[in-house]
Amino acid sequence: MVDTNHDMDTAGIHTAPMLLNMGPSHPAMHGTVRMVLTLDGETVIKCDAEIGYLHRGFEKECEHSTWTQVFPYTDRLNYVSPLLNNFGFALAVEKLLEIEATPRCNYIRTIMGEVARLSDHLTCMGAGSLELGGFSGFLYAIEARELVWDLIEEVTGARLTVSYGRIGGLKNDLTADFAERWKVVRERVLRIWEDINRLLTKNRIFLDRMEGTGVISQADAISYGLTGPMLRSTGVDYDIRKDKPYFAYGELDFDVPVGTRGDNYDRYLVRLEEIRQSIRIIDQALLKLPDGPVNCDDPRVVLPEKERVYNSIEGMINHFKLVFEGIQVPAGEIYSYTEGGNGELGYYIVSNGTGKPWKVSIRSPSFYNMCPISKFVEGGMVADIIPTFDTINMIGGEIDR
Amino acid sequence: MTLLIEFAIALLKVLVIVFGFVMALGSLMTLTERKYSAFMQKRWGPIRAEVLGFRFGGLLHLVADGVKMILKEDFIPSGANRNIHTIAPAMGLFTAMVIFAIIPFADAWCTGLALPVEGMDLCFGFDDAEALQSAQPAAVATFAPTHPYFQIADLNAGLLYMFAITGIGVYGTALGGWASNSKYSLLGGLRASAQMISYEVSMGLSLAGLLMVYGTLDVNEMVREQGALLWGTVPMWGILVQPFAFFLFLTASIAESKRAPFDMPEAESELVAGYFTEYSAMKFGIFSLSEFVMVVFIGAICATLFFGGWQVPWLYADGFHFSGDSMLAAASGGAWTAGELQSYVQASTPDIALPYGLVVFLRIGCFLTKIILMIALQLQIRWTLPRFRYDQIMFLGWKILLPASLINLFITALAILLLR
């Protein structure tokens, strides 16, 4: 597709490729990535993507914090679905500690994780509509996301930087009226889902823009290490929730939608269907939600009740040690992975037996999904970068750690 | 002396139509667009500007925006061609405004007695009905002069003028993009020139069928023809005669106005702001104003050509006629006698008789309503559809709209040939 032998002298008129610097201050680049494009008219000959504009030294910061203090940092990875990051990290540390979360905790993590996935997919679809010029579709999706965030706020106390996960449990239980509130949110989100579906899915212009653009083959997708909706759009039904069940996913019934062509449209459809599947998962999990404590009964990791802290010396010292020295995680290393909003979110953590991690390394799905960007856009048109970049759903916070 | 009066009238028409209507509606469009999109997206839209606690439904945002535009820094990038950079927005607005010259807001004012003849008003040489009654019945009725008070220029080549002016419209955009010394602007300007020139072709061809049906380029004459009743009952509006052409023309003219889904030259997610990326302050305002004026113009021209223009359905110079039978028939031998007219007026044939002044007033009101409905349609389209890609726009223009216009033209020609 790419014409490397570029004819610089067409019919006696001198032509030269144009270098266009797209971003980081460009509406579609979110201020977090830069693309240096070589253009022949509207055709992209070459694309150099440059990341690093949101680098905050996250992995290094973790080494100076106790295990619990890492949670606020994980909020800022994929900031559209911070709950998933929280739970992924908690799971990794729990594996290293060799403790199990309580059944109720696992169910709540499943429920809240899927709520976060709703937020992630709705944002991605809405932004897709916006970047193709359909502002109404964007605002519809954002309305649904607001409803989801209201729900998150109700439970965690925050909308964006939730810090809801804890090692061995959660910050708090679900609110008493969560199920009723979910029923209301569910209905409205489904109605908005239907609106977006009718507005976009069969829209001729939308189809023209999405179909056949940003195509990647199954073999390429696997060799680039793509995961999540990007991989599933090529026809590989790899979903960690299904293939290596964690939390309560093994006990719940849901489908993994896959595409066939691996283009932007398939990625859009996969996300569209995953929204419905997430709603299905939450419905089932709320029905099966077991009673019991949310935090595991292990004084090595879980803070004691406030009553004990204020009224007994043991409780007081337990609290003090956990807060100041941190949870003492046995020396060792582990790679734990969960299904994030964009794919496999892996935490590789190394502990040297102290209250602080020795190393936290993150396999962020966005980073891997972003890698083949030049493959996607080269040979296409400038306008195709926009929907492709959207369905990749690159989140700056996740790419630059 | 008469020349001076004519000149004064022409000037007054320009002032009233261009500044009282076009500019007013154009600036109102800035608010309408925001309010309409807000309505579609379950938002409030602009509600914050207020004076002493009164918001006037957001109208004050017009003033606030105007003041903001004028007071902001007028930035010209280094390396830009200052003269062309400055003149480009003016060219855009100029063409968008002079194009209104051909729009008739009502039929030419009849100085005599206006009576409908088979769906078209004729102006007879009597001062009023009384003068008609006292005339000799055997006398042959003469015609009185009409004055086009409600149209700036009553051109007999009206539609050609429109195509000529829209042809110039591309310069403002293309030059603005080129003179800015910015690659995004350049890309936007290039897209604009390709798109606007391509769509002018199908825009012109889609109207050719209409020209053949009405047999005139004079816009007011075309509106008058739309008053005829089909099968004695249905007003023969352009959309009935040329339904296919309406959709072709609407598509082409939205592409011509560079608005979504054809806003490739602007494409804010790809080209930042396209051809006016490097424009600020009032120059930016002028670009968006000319875009809004074009929206109003498309509304006006669509209403004029396809929705009967100033025609109120079944309303003619002397009142409502719900069937063609109650109107004067064409004169035998090409001339009416005063007697024929007298018996018509005495029988008081209109179903609802109305004074001539009220009829003109209703017609202007009806035309404005049609324009507003057409603007609403355009806004609905703009806030519903996503954007095309550059090559898809070219494909649509050359490979779909152009052949479709030609087929439409062919079928129209065939129909006219067979029906005559």
Side-chain angles (χ1 to χ4, degrees):
Chain A
M1 242 169 140
V2 184
D3 183 9
T4 43
N5 253 336
H6 228 69
D7 192 2
M8 295 293 161
D9 198 38
T10 317
I13 304 163
H14 174 73
T15 66
M18 181 166 85
L19 209 65
L20 185 71
N21 185 27
M22 207 181 215
S25 47
H26 180 281
M29 298 294 134
H30 316 172
T32 55
V33 68
R34 181 169 88 123
M35 287 191 197
V36 184
L37 305 172
T38 312
L39 299 179
D40 172 24
E42 290 259 345
T43 312
V44 180
I45 307 173
K46 194 166 171 297
C47 163
D48 273 329
E50 194 177 293
I51 61 166
Y53 288 90
L54 205 59
H55 185 74
R56 297 140 303 167
F58 163 74
E59 290 179 355
K60 190 70 192 163
E61 289 276 341
C62 291
E63 295 166 19
H64 300 286
S65 327
T66 65
W67 293 95
T68 312
Q69 282 171 340
V70 172
F71 281 106
Y73 292 135
T74 61
D75 285 345
R76 287 146 180 87
L77 283 171
N78 181 343
Y79 35 71
V80 193
S81 50
L83 284 160
L84 289 166
N85 311 337
N86 280 188
F87 300 151
F89 180 72
L91 186 68
V93 182
E94 281 162 15
K95 279 183 181 168
L96 209 52
L97 277 163
E98 290 174 346
I99 57 169
E100 286 259 333
T102 61
R104 186 175 175 83
C105 171
N106 273 338
Y107 268 89
I108 295 177
R109 282 180 182 176
T110 308
I111 293 167
M112 293 308 288
E114 291 309 309
V115 168
R117 197 182 311 279
L118 283 180
S119 141
D120 192 277
H121 285 1
L122 284 167
T123 312
C124 178
M125 277 169 44
S129 171
L130 172 70
E131 292 181 346
L132 290 179
F135 198 63
S136 301
F138 169 69
L139 286 175
Y140 294 161
I142 291 302
E143 189 198 344
R145 192 183 77 174
E146 283 300 304
L147 292 166
V148 168
W149 279 11
D150 284 348
L151 205 63
I152 293 175
E153 187 184 16
E154 179 76 9
V155 175
T156 70
R159 292 164 77 79
L160 194 70
T161 50
V162 290
S163 302
Y164 181 58
R166 291 289 184 277
I167 295 158
L170 295 162
K171 178 174 151 266
N172 52 267
D173 201 344
L174 291 181
T175 45
D177 61 344
F178 182 83
E180 285 116 79
R181 286 181 65 104
W182 164 247
K183 243 177 229 146
V184 179
V185 169
R186 179 186 187 280
E187 289 312 308
R188 286 185 65 186
V189 168
L190 274 177
R191 198 159 351 130
I192 291 166
W193 184 91
E194 191 55 43
D195 280 348
I196 297 172
N197 186 21
R198 279 194 311 231
L199 188 66
L200 295 177
T201 309
K202 292 213 172 89
N203 185 316
R204 189 69 248 169
I205 303 175
F206 186 74
L207 277 166
D208 283 347
R209 290 298 303 273
M210 300 291 266
E211 266 184 332
T213 57
V215 187
I216 191 159
S217 69
Q218 208 178 74
D220 277 343
I222 293 171
S223 72
Y224 269 103
L226 303 192
T227 45
M230 297 251 336
L231 179 65
R232 291 196 281 276
S233 74
T234 63
V236 185
D237 65 342
Y238 175 67
D239 188 325
I240 300 160
R241 292 176 295 172
K242 201 85 174 173
D243 296 326
K244 296 268 181 213
Y246 54 97
F247 299 157
Y249 288 112
E251 299 153 41
L252 303 171
D253 181 33
F254 63 97
D255 300 327
V256 177
V258 289
T260 48
R261 293 155 297 187
D263 60 359
N264 283 330
Y265 189 61
D266 271 4
R267 295 199 273 275
Y268 161 81
L269 288 181
V270 165
R271 286 207 171 84
L272 199 65
E273 185 52 33
E274 278 189 14
I275 289 179
R276 285 222 311 209
Q277 295 302 330
S278 289
I279 291 175
R280 231 178 112 191
I281 293 172
I282 299 170
D283 286 345
Q284 294 173 45
L286 273 173
L287 281 178
K288 289 188 178 174
L289 185 65
D291 288 329
V294 285
N295 289 328
C296 58
D297 184 25
D298 190 338
R300 288 180 306 148
V301 291
V302 177
L303 287 176
E305 295 287 317
K306 280 285 176 285
E307 199 152 307
R308 283 191 58 220
V309 177
Y310 294 138
N311 297 322
S312 75
I313 187 71
E314 293 82 5
M316 171 78 179
I317 288 175
N318 188 353
H319 186 273
F320 180 86
K321 296 278 266 186
L322 278 181
V323 171
F324 274 78
E325 289 175 3
I327 297 163
Q328 301 299 309
V329 177
E333 58 180 16
I334 195 154
Y335 176 72
S336 160
Y337 48 99
T338 53
E339 183 75 19
N342 290 326
E344 179 176 331
L345 174 69
Y347 287 92
Y348 173 66
I349 51 178
V350 182
S351 169
N352 56 359
T354 62
K356 289 174 181 175
W358 193 73
K359 172 73 187 166
V360 175
S361 175
I362 291 151
R363 184 218 183 272
S364 64
S366 280
F367 181 78
Y368 287 85
N369 291 352
M370 186 68 181
C371 284
I373 181 78
S374 41
K375 200 177 176 61
F376 280 132
V377 302
E378 278 171 10
M381 307 196 82
V382 180
D384 284 339
I385 297 176
I386 310 304
T388 308
F389 190 67
D390 173 74
T391 53
I392 289 175
N393 198 16
M394 190 218 84
I395 308 281
E398 209 173 34
I399 274 207
D400 301 325
R401 307 172 305 277
Chain B
M1 192 60 198
T2 33
L3 196 71
L4 211 63
I5 292 172
E6 286 290 313
F7 184 73
I9 289 173
L11 202 65
L12 197 68
K13 283 194 293 194
V14 170
L15 285 178
V16 171
I17 291 179
V18 171
F19 291 99
F21 173 73
V22 177
M23 285 293 273
L25 212 53
S27 355
L28 259 180
M29 273 294 296
T30 59
L31 181 70
T32 317
E33 170 145 276
R34 293 166 72 186
K35 278 287 187 193
Y36 200 95
S37 58
F39 165 70
M40 283 178 69
Q41 298 157 350
K42 291 196 230 168
R43 295 184 286 117
W44 278 107
I47 49 165
R48 291 303 168 91
E50 58 169 48
V51 169
L52 305 174
F54 292 102
R55 292 192 177 127
F56 305 103
L59 272 175
L60 291 168
H61 279 268
L62 293 183
V63 187
D65 284 348
V67 171
K68 178 190 76 180
M69 294 277 189
I70 290 166
L71 293 182
K72 275 199 167 184
E73 185 193 354
D74 180 17
F75 180 78
I76 297 176
S78 69
N81 186 324
R82 293 185 72 89
N83 295 331
I84 296 180
H85 187 270
T86 307
I87 210 163
M91 284 180 76
L93 188 62
F94 169 78
T95 49
M97 278 164 70
V98 293
I99 207 167
F100 271 90
I102 54 155
I103 301 289
F105 286 77
D107 201 359
W109 180 264
C110 173
T111 50
L113 180 67
L115 293 173
V117 179
E118 291 188 337
M120 276 171 77
D121 296 338
L122 285 186
C123 190
F124 291 100
F126 306 98
D127 289 342
D128 48 32
E130 277 175 38
L132 173 64
Q133 293 306 331
S134 56
Q136 288 292 328
V140 173
T142 54
F143 293 106
T146 55
H147 295 297
Y149 289 145
F150 308 103
Q151 184 182 16
I152 295 177
D154 187 14
L155 295 175
N156 55 10
L159 278 186
L160 290 184
Y161 169 85
M162 179 186 98
F163 294 133
I165 297 295
T166 45
I168 303 175
V170 66
Y171 286 101
T173 317
L175 288 179
W178 175 78
S180 294
N181 189 31
S182 152
K183 287 168 181 171
Y184 288 114
S185 302
L186 183 67
L187 279 174
L190 278 175
R191 282 178 177 189
S193 15
Q195 174 182 329
M196 291 170 84
I197 290 168
S198 306
Y199 277 83
E200 248 156 53
V201 181
S202 28
M203 194 174 163
L205 275 174
S206 64
L207 288 188
L210 214 57
L211 302 186
M212 287 180 355
V213 172
Y214 295 129
T216 176
L217 280 163
D218 185 329
V219 181
N220 192 36
E221 198 55 36
M222 290 173 99
V223 179
R224 284 168 60 83
E225 298 246 12
Q226 292 181 56
L229 293 177
L230 195 64
W231 307 303
T233 44
V234 188
M236 214 168 71
W237 285 2
I239 182 118
L240 280 182
V241 191
Q242 289 274 294
F244 199 42
F246 169 66
F247 294 103
L248 295 175
F249 179 72
L250 187 69
T251 315
S253 48
I254 291 177
E256 195 69 16
S257 74
K258 312 183 288 290
R259 281 168 63 81
F262 296 96
D263 59 344
M264 291 309 301
E266 200 180 318
E268 79 284 341
S269 58
E270 301 148 31
L271 301 184
V272 189
Y275 63 96
F276 57 77
T277 305
E278 302 293 344
Y279 279 89
S280 58
M282 204 57 203
K283 282 185 202 161
F284 170 86
I286 298 262
F287 264 131
S288 47
L289 186 64
S290 50
E291 196 179 294
F292 287 130
V293 171
M294 268 312 279
V295 172
V296 179
F297 176 74
I298 291 166
I301 196 75
C302 280
T304 305
L305 298 178
F306 293 98
F307 293 95
W310 42 257
Q311 298 272 10
V312 184
W314 301 291
L315 180 68
Y316 299 95
D318 59 350
F320 282 100
H321 293 264
F322 296 115
S323 82
D325 305 335
S326 62
M327 269 181 268
L328 271 175
S332 49
W336 287 269
T337 59
E340 280 172 326
L341 299 179
Q342 276 166 3
S343 56
Y344 170 78
V345 171
Q346 266 164 354
S348 179
T349 30
D351 296 317
I352 303 167
L354 292 174
Y356 185 61
L358 184 64
V359 168
V360 171
F361 183 76
L362 282 178
R363 281 174 168 174
I364 295 177
C366 183
F367 184 53
L368 296 187
T369 315
K370 286 172 185 170
I371 294 180
I372 287 165
L373 289 178
M374 283 307 297
I375 290 174
L377 175 67
Q378 290 181 67
L379 287 179
Q380 188 81 35
I381 292 171
R382 192 238 171 281
W383 290 101
T384 304
L385 294 178
R387 180 183 304 122
F388 282 104
R389 202 172 63 198
Y390 177 66
D391 56 329
Q392 290 163 353
I393 276 193
M394 290 295 133
F395 182 88
L396 180 70
W398 289 107
K399 294 194 177 163
I400 296 175
L401 284 192
L402 185 63
S405 319
L406 286 172
I407 291 169
N408 179 55
L409 188 63
F410 176 73
I411 293 172
T412 312
L414 204 66
I416 290 174
L417 193 72
L418 293 179
L419 293 178
R420 283 249 163 96

